[in-house]
Amino acid sequence: MIKRLLELRAVAKDPDKQGTLLKIEQEVSAINKLLDRFEKYVGEQRGLLKHLKDLEGFFQEDEQDALHLKNNIPPHMPKRGQQAAPQGGGQVAVQSRQTDAPPAPQEQGPPRKAHRNQIKEMEFITVPEFDSIPPYMKGRVTYDQLNAAVQSINAAVTSKYKILHQPIKTLNNVSRTLHQRFKDQETKDTKGQFFIVEQDIREFAQLKVDKRFVGMLNMLRHCQRLKEVRGGGLTRFILL
């Protein structure tokens, strides 16, 4: 090794070899810079690959949600792009026939009263209403997903008020506990109104009240389907 060092020192002092050594030094420096750039590029590609894997996971979740909604669309839900009733000549003809026909005799009787135990349901969102929602609020939620949330809320409301409308003596211990909880959650602002809380959605609709579902609740509030009343550490969603 000492001999090699002496040879290298002699070469370094040789004016004819100094140019070659300078070129070697420049090439080594260029190779190091290239290696640094390549290492940085590899790091960026690893980060991009991780981001793509996360996106793939999100897409798979959305695909599963969409497949579940597609297989569980209720028959009474309004369809997007559904044509309205025929207008123009056909409507005029129907009106003319109704005008020419003699009025049918109407039976006089006592006015029918609304059923005391009738449970209110939220109306489904129409296509124009869905299109009126701001894009920043709508996000990636589709028309069918929003109406599926409406159906879940209706299911929770129906389950709650079926318990409230039953005589307490006919309820079992679990239902009595729920009945008392529902009564404790009522306030002067909810008197005569139909409302639910997050716990009702989780228990009766089997849904997670996560950030996505809260966003859909905001869209329903925008469409005048519900309003929020806060108090006592609870958020009450009142049907309009």
Side-chain angles (χ1 to χ4, degrees), residues 156-157 159-161 163-164 176-204 228-238:
V157 172
S159 299
K160 172 184 176 179
Y161 283 91
I163 296 175
L164 281 174
R176 286 188 181 185
T177 302
L178 291 173
H179 189 281
Q180 185 60 44
R181 188 186 81 189
F182 299 151
K183 287 294 184 181
D184 293 340
Q185 292 171 350
E186 293 179 353
T187 65
K188 61 179 182 179
D189 296 324
T190 62
K191 186 177 181 180
Q193 306 288 339
F194 289 85
F195 74 94
I196 55 175
V197 297
E198 291 185 4
Q199 188 174 2
D200 300 330
I201 298 174
R202 288 192 294 266
E203 292 180 0
F204 298 124
E228 294 182 4
V229 174
R230 301 176 184 270
L234 287 176
T235 301
R236 299 162 179 84
F237 304 102
I238 301 178

Coordinates of all heavy atoms in Angstrom, one line a residue, residues 156-157 159-161 163-164 176-204 228-238:
A156 N -84.8 4.8 10.5 CA -84.5 5.1 11.9 C -85.6 5.9 12.5 O -86.0 5.6 13.7 CB -83.2 6.0 12.0
V157 N -86.3 6.8 11.8 CA -87.4 7.5 12.4 C -88.6 6.6 12.6 O -89.2 6.6 13.7 CB -87.8 8.7 11.4 CG1 -89.1 9.3 11.9 CG2 -86.7 9.7 11.3
S159 N -88.5 3.3 13.2 CA -88.2 2.4 14.3 C -88.4 3.2 15.7 O -88.9 2.6 16.6 CB -86.8 1.9 14.2 OG -86.7 1.1 13.0
K160 N -87.9 4.4 15.7 CA -88.0 5.2 17.0 C -89.5 5.4 17.4 O -89.9 5.2 18.5 CB -87.2 6.5 16.8 CG -87.4 7.4 18.0 CD -86.8 8.7 17.8 CE -87.0 9.7 18.9 NZ -86.4 11.0 18.8
Y161 N -90.2 5.9 16.4 CA -91.6 6.4 16.8 C -92.6 5.2 16.8 O -93.7 5.4 17.4 CB -92.1 7.5 15.8 CG -91.4 8.8 16.1 CD1 -90.2 9.2 15.5 CD2 -92.0 9.6 17.1 CE1 -89.6 10.4 15.8 CE2 -91.4 10.8 17.4 CZ -90.2 11.2 16.8 OH -89.6 12.4 17.1
I163 N -91.8 2.7 18.7 CA -91.7 2.5 20.1 C -92.4 3.5 20.9 O -93.1 3.2 21.9 CB -90.2 2.4 20.5 CG1 -89.5 1.2 19.8 CG2 -90.0 2.3 22.0 CD1 -88.0 1.1 20.0
L164 N -92.3 4.8 20.5 CA -92.9 5.9 21.2 C -94.4 5.8 21.2 O -95.1 6.2 22.1 CB -92.4 7.2 20.7 CG -91.1 7.7 21.1 CD1 -90.7 9.0 20.4 CD2 -91.1 7.9 22.6
R176 N -88.6 -0.2 26.8 CA -88.9 0.8 27.9 C -87.7 1.7 28.1 O -87.9 2.9 28.2 CB -89.3 0.1 29.2 CG -90.7 -0.5 29.1 CD -91.1 -1.0 30.5 NE -92.5 -1.6 30.5 CZ -93.1 -2.0 31.6 NH1 -92.5 -1.9 32.8 NH2 -94.3 -2.5 31.5
T177 N -86.5 1.1 28.1 CA -85.3 1.9 28.2 C -85.2 2.9 27.1 O -84.9 4.1 27.2 CB -84.1 1.0 28.3 OG1 -84.2 0.1 29.4 CG2 -82.8 1.9 28.5
L178 N -85.4 2.4 25.8 CA -85.4 3.3 24.7 C -86.4 4.3 24.7 O -86.2 5.5 24.4 CB -85.5 2.4 23.4 CG -84.4 1.5 23.0 CD1 -84.7 0.6 21.9 CD2 -83.1 2.3 22.7
H179 N -87.6 4.0 25.2 CA -88.7 4.9 25.3 C -88.4 6.1 26.2 O -88.6 7.2 25.9 CB -90.0 4.2 25.8 CG -91.2 5.0 25.7 ND1 -91.5 5.9 26.7 CD2 -92.3 5.0 24.8 CE1 -92.7 6.5 26.4 NE2 -93.2 6.0 25.3
Q180 N -87.8 5.7 27.3 CA -87.4 6.8 28.3 C -86.3 7.6 27.7 O -86.3 8.9 27.9 CB -86.9 6.1 29.6 CG -86.6 7.1 30.7 CD -87.9 7.9 31.1 OE1 -89.0 7.4 31.2 NE2 -87.7 9.2 31.2
R181 N -85.4 7.0 27.0 CA -84.3 7.8 26.4 C -84.8 8.8 25.4 O -84.4 10.0 25.3 CB -83.3 6.9 25.7 CG -82.0 7.6 25.2 CD -81.2 6.6 24.4 NE -81.6 6.5 23.0 CZ -81.1 5.6 22.2 NH1 -80.2 4.7 22.6 NH2 -81.6 5.5 21.0
F182 N -85.8 8.4 24.5 CA -86.4 9.2 23.6 C -87.1 10.4 24.2 O -87.0 11.5 23.8 CB -87.4 8.5 22.7 CG -86.8 7.3 21.9 CD1 -87.5 6.2 21.6 CD2 -85.5 7.4 21.5 CE1 -87.0 5.2 20.9 CE2 -84.9 6.3 20.8 CZ -85.6 5.2 20.5
K183 N -87.8 10.1 25.3 CA -88.5 11.2 26.1 C -87.5 12.2 26.7 O -87.8 13.4 26.7 CB -89.4 10.6 27.2 CG -90.6 9.9 26.6 CD -91.6 10.9 26.0 CE -92.9 10.2 25.5 NZ -93.8 11.2 24.9
D184 N -86.4 11.7 27.2 CA -85.4 12.6 27.8 C -84.8 13.5 26.8 O -84.3 14.6 27.1 CB -84.3 11.8 28.5 CG -84.9 11.0 29.7 OD1 -86.0 11.4 30.2 OD2 -84.3 10.0 30.1
Q185 N -84.7 13.1 25.5 CA -84.1 13.9 24.5 C -85.0 15.0 23.9 O -84.5 15.8 23.2 CB -83.6 13.0 23.3 CG -82.5 12.0 23.7 CD -82.2 11.0 22.6 OE1 -83.0 10.8 21.7 NE2 -81.2 10.2 22.8
E186 N -86.3 14.9 24.2 CA -87.2 15.9 23.7 C -87.0 17.3 24.4 O -86.7 17.3 25.6 CB -88.6 15.4 23.9 CG -89.0 14.2 23.0 CD -90.4 13.8 23.2 OE1 -91.1 14.3 24.1 OE2 -90.9 12.8 22.5
T187 N -87.2 18.3 23.7 CA -87.2 19.7 24.2 C -88.4 20.5 23.7 O -89.2 20.0 22.9 CB -85.9 20.4 23.8 OG1 -85.9 20.6 22.3 CG2 -84.6 19.6 24.2
K188 N -88.5 21.7 24.1 CA -89.6 22.6 23.7 C -89.5 22.8 22.2 O -90.5 23.1 21.5 CB -89.6 23.9 24.4 CG -88.3 24.7 24.3 CD -88.5 26.0 25.0 CE -87.2 26.9 24.8 NZ -87.3 28.2 25.5
D189 N -88.3 22.8 21.6 CA -88.1 23.0 20.2 C -88.5 21.8 19.4 O -88.7 21.9 18.2 CB -86.6 23.4 19.9 CG -86.2 24.7 20.6 OD1 -87.0 25.6 20.6 OD2 -85.0 24.8 21.0
T190 N -88.5 20.6 20.0 CA -88.9 19.4 19.2 C -90.3 19.0 19.4 O -90.7 18.0 18.9 CB -88.0 18.3 19.6 OG1 -88.1 18.0 21.0 CG2 -86.5 18.6 19.4
K191 N -91.1 19.8 20.2 CA -92.5 19.4 20.5 C -93.3 19.4 19.2 O -93.3 20.3 18.4 CB -93.1 20.4 21.5 CG -94.5 20.0 21.9 CD -95.0 21.0 23.0 CE -96.4 20.6 23.5 NZ -96.9 21.6 24.5
G192 N -93.9 18.2 19.0 CA -94.7 18.0 17.8 C -94.0 17.7 16.5 O -94.5 17.7 15.4
Q193 N -92.6 17.6 16.7 CA -91.8 17.3 15.5 C -91.3 15.9 15.6 O -91.2 15.2 16.6 CB -90.6 18.3 15.5 CG -91.0 19.7 15.6 CD -91.6 20.2 14.3 OE1 -91.4 19.7 13.2 NE2 -92.3 21.3 14.4
F194 N -90.8 15.4 14.4 CA -90.2 14.1 14.3 C -88.7 14.3 14.2 O -88.2 15.0 13.2 CB -90.7 13.3 13.1 CG -92.1 12.8 13.3 CD1 -93.2 13.6 13.0 CD2 -92.4 11.5 13.8 CE1 -94.5 13.2 13.1 CE2 -93.7 11.1 13.9 CZ -94.8 11.9 13.6
F195 N -87.9 13.7 15.1 CA -86.5 14.0 15.0 C -85.7 12.7 15.5 O -86.3 11.8 16.1 CB -86.1 15.1 15.9 CG -86.1 14.8 17.4 CD1 -85.0 14.4 18.1 CD2 -87.3 14.9 18.1 CE1 -85.0 14.1 19.4 CE2 -87.3 14.7 19.5 CZ -86.2 14.2 20.1
I196 N -84.5 12.6 15.1 CA -83.6 11.6 15.5 C -82.2 12.2 15.9 O -82.0 13.3 15.6 CB -83.4 10.5 14.5 CG1 -82.9 11.1 13.2 CG2 -84.7 9.7 14.2 CD1 -82.6 10.1 12.1
V197 N -81.4 11.4 16.6 CA -80.0 11.8 16.9 C -79.1 10.8 16.3 O -79.5 9.8 15.7 CB -79.8 11.9 18.4 CG1 -80.8 13.0 19.0 CG2 -80.1 10.5 19.1
E198 N -77.8 11.0 16.4 CA -76.8 10.2 15.8 C -76.9 8.7 16.3 O -76.7 7.8 15.6 CB -75.4 10.7 16.1 CG -75.1 12.0 15.3 CD -73.6 12.4 15.5 OE1 -72.9 11.7 16.2 OE2 -73.3 13.5 15.0
Q199 N -77.2 8.6 17.6 CA -77.3 7.2 18.2 C -78.4 6.5 17.6 O -78.3 5.2 17.4 CB -77.5 7.3 19.7 CG -77.4 6.0 20.4 CD -77.5 6.2 21.9 OE1 -77.6 7.3 22.4 NE2 -77.4 5.1 22.7
D200 N -79.5 7.1 17.2 CA -80.6 6.4 16.5 C -80.2 5.9 15.2 O -80.6 4.8 14.7 CB -81.8 7.4 16.4 CG -82.3 7.9 17.8 OD1 -82.2 7.1 18.7 OD2 -82.8 9.0 17.8
I201 N -79.4 6.7 14.4 CA -79.0 6.3 13.1 C -78.1 5.1 13.2 O -78.2 4.2 12.4 CB -78.2 7.5 12.4 CG1 -79.2 8.7 12.2 CG2 -77.7 7.1 11.1 CD1 -78.5 9.9 11.7
R202 N -77.2 5.1 14.2 CA -76.3 4.0 14.4 C -77.0 2.7 14.8 O -76.7 1.6 14.3 CB -75.2 4.3 15.4 CG -74.2 5.3 15.0 CD -73.0 5.4 15.9 NE -73.4 5.9 17.2 CZ -73.3 7.1 17.6 NH1 -72.8 8.0 16.8 NH2 -73.7 7.5 18.8
E203 N -78.0 2.8 15.7 CA -78.7 1.6 16.2 C -79.8 1.1 15.2 O -79.9 -0.1 15.0 CB -79.3 2.0 17.5 CG -78.3 2.2 18.6 CD -78.9 2.6 20.0 OE1 -80.2 2.6 20.0 OE2 -78.2 2.8 20.9
F204 N -80.6 2.0 14.6 CA -81.7 1.5 13.8 C -81.4 1.4 12.4 O -82.0 0.6 11.6 CB -82.9 2.5 14.0 CG -83.4 2.6 15.5 CD1 -83.5 3.8 16.1 CD2 -83.7 1.4 16.1 CE1 -83.9 3.8 17.5 CE2 -84.2 1.4 17.4 CZ -84.3 2.6 18.1
E228 N -81.2 21.2 12.1 CA -80.5 20.8 13.3 C -80.9 21.6 14.5 O -81.0 22.9 14.4 CB -79.0 20.8 13.1 CG -78.5 19.8 12.1 CD -77.0 19.9 11.9 OE1 -76.3 20.6 12.7 OE2 -76.4 19.2 11.0
V229 N -81.1 21.0 15.6 CA -81.3 21.7 16.9 C -80.3 21.1 17.9 O -80.3 19.9 18.2 CB -82.7 21.5 17.4 CG1 -82.9 22.1 18.8 CG2 -83.7 22.2 16.4
R230 N -79.4 21.9 18.4 CA -78.4 21.5 19.4 C -78.8 21.9 20.8 O -79.4 22.9 21.0 CB -77.0 22.1 19.0 CG -76.6 21.7 17.6 CD -75.3 22.4 17.3 NE -74.9 22.1 15.9 CZ -74.1 21.1 15.5 NH1 -73.6 20.2 16.5 NH2 -73.8 20.9 14.3
G231 N -78.3 21.0 21.7 CA -78.6 21.3 23.1 C -78.4 20.1 24.0 O -78.7 19.0 23.6
G232 N -77.8 20.3 25.2 CA -77.6 19.2 26.1 C -76.6 18.2 25.6 O -76.7 17.0 25.9
G233 N -75.6 18.6 24.7 CA -74.6 17.7 24.2 C -75.1 16.8 23.1 O -74.4 15.9 22.7
L234 N -76.3 17.1 22.5 CA -76.9 16.3 21.4 C -77.2 17.2 20.2 O -77.5 18.4 20.4 CB -78.2 15.6 21.9 CG -78.0 14.4 22.8 CD1 -79.4 13.9 23.2 CD2 -77.2 13.3 22.2
T235 N -77.1 16.6 19.1 CA -77.6 17.3 17.8 C -78.8 16.5 17.4 O -78.8 15.4 17.0 CB -76.5 17.3 16.7 OG1 -75.3 17.9 17.2 CG2 -77.0 18.0 15.5
R236 N -79.9 17.2 17.3 CA -81.2 16.6 16.9 C -81.5 17.0 15.5 O -81.5 18.2 15.1 CB -82.3 17.1 17.9 CG -82.1 16.7 19.3 CD -83.0 17.5 20.3 NE -82.8 17.1 21.7 CZ -81.8 17.6 22.4 NH1 -80.9 18.4 21.9 NH2 -81.6 17.2 23.7
F237 N -81.8 16.0 14.7 CA -82.1 16.2 13.3 C -83.6 16.1 13.1 O -84.2 15.0 13.2 CB -81.4 15.2 12.4 CG -79.9 15.1 12.6 CD1 -79.3 14.2 13.3 CD2 -79.1 16.1 12.0 CE1 -77.9 14.1 13.5 CE2 -77.7 16.1 12.2 CZ -77.1 15.1 12.9
I238 N -84.2 17.3 12.9 CA -85.7 17.4 12.8 C -86.1 17.3 11.3 O -85.6 18.1 10.5 CB -86.2 18.7 13.4 CG1 -85.8 18.7 14.9 CG2 -87.7 18.8 13.3 CD1 -86.2 20.0 15.6

